[in-house]
Amino acid sequence: MKKIIRFLVLLAVIVVGFYLLMTGLVIFASLAAVGALVWVYLRYFAKSANVTHSSKGVTIDQVSPFVPTPGSASEEAKDVDVVEELRPEIVDSEVEVKPDTHDVYALYNLYEIEARAYCVSPGPKLPTIVDDIIALTNHVDADDQLRAKTYRLLGELYEADDNVVLALDYYETALALDAKVGVKRKITKLQKMTES
């Protein structure tokens, strides 16, 4: 009888120990998961009014408004002097303010999406972005490789519109700007079409 009692006590100790171990692991895992979720939220989703999290660290976006304190009258006088210095008649008229330029690569990507959609299912007339794409070829910030890709895009649009002569002209211009633009086969195909 003693052996049975010892066995039952030992079994109870093992079961209770296993239960406590599993409960402890579940609690630890739960706490770890909650901690990870809090960290992810604070890292990526919680943004205060004047702090932005970026890949380069934390930067200040806004400055807290000036709260006057007793004795800050001299600070206000300095602020007024700064404002006086920025009046339009005092600002140097020779300083040239350049307008914001668009990111030409982003523009090209947008135009490419619309042009590819047109090439897949051409409509009765060319899309309205053709003039914008032509303007992009003359953009100051565009390099020859981007210009070549843009001319290729124009060639593809006109080829989808069955305007072989214009498509060939744009392909040849693209090839002249960048030999790796990938239009040699298209040029050969269109030249055969024009010869026949």
Side-chain angles (χ1 to χ4, degrees):
M1 186 71 175
K2 286 183 180 182
K3 288 185 178 181
I4 295 175
I5 292 174
R6 283 184 190 164
F7 176 74
L8 291 176
V9 169
L10 181 62
L11 185 62
V13 168
I14 291 173
V15 168
V16 169
F18 183 75
Y19 173 77
L20 291 176
L21 178 66
M22 293 309 290
T23 306
L25 289 176
V26 168
I27 291 172
F28 177 77
S30 300
L31 289 175
V34 168
L37 288 174
V38 168
W39 179 83
V40 166
Y41 174 77
L42 292 175
R43 177 75 173 103
Y44 295 104
F45 299 108
K47 295 189 185 235
S48 63
N50 63 344
V51 176
T52 299
H53 298 279
S54 68
S55 60
K56 295 181 180 177
V58 178
T59 57
I60 301 298
D61 285 339
Q62 301 170 345
V63 178
S64 301
F66 176 71
V67 179
T69 58
S72 64
S74 61
E75 294 295 328
E76 285 182 20
K78 288 179 186 175
D79 290 342
V80 171
D81 291 341
V82 170
V83 171
E84 288 293 321
E85 289 176 11
L86 295 177
R87 284 194 326 234
E89 60 269 11
I90 298 174
V91 174
D92 187 7
S93 60
E94 294 180 10
V95 175
E96 182 181 340
V97 179
K98 295 181 180 178
D100 292 338
T101 56
H102 298 290
D103 182 359
V104 291
Y105 293 96
L107 284 174
Y108 171 79
N109 289 337
L110 289 174
Y111 298 153
E112 184 182 27
I113 291 169
E114 191 169 339
R116 298 277 184 242
Y118 175 82
C119 290
V120 168
S121 59
K125 58 182 182 176
L126 283 170
T128 57
I129 59 162
V130 171
D131 293 334
D132 297 330
I133 296 173
I134 292 171
L136 187 62
T137 62
N138 299 321
H139 202 285
V140 176
D141 294 338
D143 56 10
D144 283 346
Q145 189 176 17
L146 180 64
R147 280 193 180 92
K149 288 168 72 174
T150 308
Y151 281 117
R152 174 187 173 158
L153 195 61
L154 286 166
E156 290 172 354
L157 280 169
Y158 281 105
E159 184 180 4
D161 195 46
D162 293 328
N163 191 335
V164 176
V165 174
L166 228 59
L168 186 59
D169 186 39
Y170 280 123
Y171 285 149
E172 287 172 345
T173 306
L175 186 62
L177 288 169
D178 183 8
K180 296 180 181 179
V181 75
V183 293
K184 291 178 183 175
R185 289 183 184 168
K186 291 178 181 282
I187 290 174
T188 306
K189 182 181 93 171
L190 293 180
Q191 284 174 341
K192 287 179 183 177
M193 287 174 66
T194 55
E195 290 171 0
S196 59

